[in-house]
Amino acid sequence: MSPSPVVEYAVHGVWSHRLGVDVVAGLRARFADAPAAVIIDLHGMTDDDAASLPLWLAARRAAAAIRPTVPLALCMPATTVLETRLRRIGAERLPIFTTMPEARAAMAARIPA
């Protein structure tokens, strides 16, 4: 199966267990399509205490375990608690961008021609 183009996945709503279950199901479906890369847009999500952080790290691990590896990036406002905590643990683990054009350009650069 040849890779699909870069997939963009937007998450909307207030973070909750239910939203997390929906996100996991959505990401599984995206990964099953063998995308060239996945960008998760979190601009429409509210997560005041960064409770979703473990899910994004698990998504990164899942994307890295796929062969060939699927580059994964998050896109979110720079002023959120989640963004601050993710950067604190190391942005190299999971690239974070503040705008979708930045994320698209970075992911396109990671995809072999």
Side-chain angles (χ1 to χ4, degrees), residues 23-108:
V23 168
V24 168
L27 288 175
R28 280 188 183 139
R30 281 10 172 240
F31 290 152
D33 290 337
V38 174
I39 301 169
I40 303 170
D41 183 357
L42 301 178
H43 281 93
M45 185 186 82
T46 303
D47 183 5
D48 293 336
D49 58 358
S52 66
L53 188 142
L55 185 135
W56 310 124
L57 297 178
R60 181 195 56 83
R61 287 189 303 273
I66 297 169
R67 294 295 174 249
T69 298
V70 176
L72 180 70
L74 297 178
C75 187
M76 69 183 79
T79 58
T80 65
V81 174
L82 178 61
E83 188 270 347
T84 300
R85 290 190 182 161
L86 282 166
R87 290 209 188 271
R88 192 178 308 146
I89 65 169
E92 71 280 354
R93 291 181 171 177
L94 184 57
I96 302 167
F97 302 94
T98 55
T99 70
M100 288 300 287
E102 289 174 334
R104 288 179 190 120
M107 291 296 100

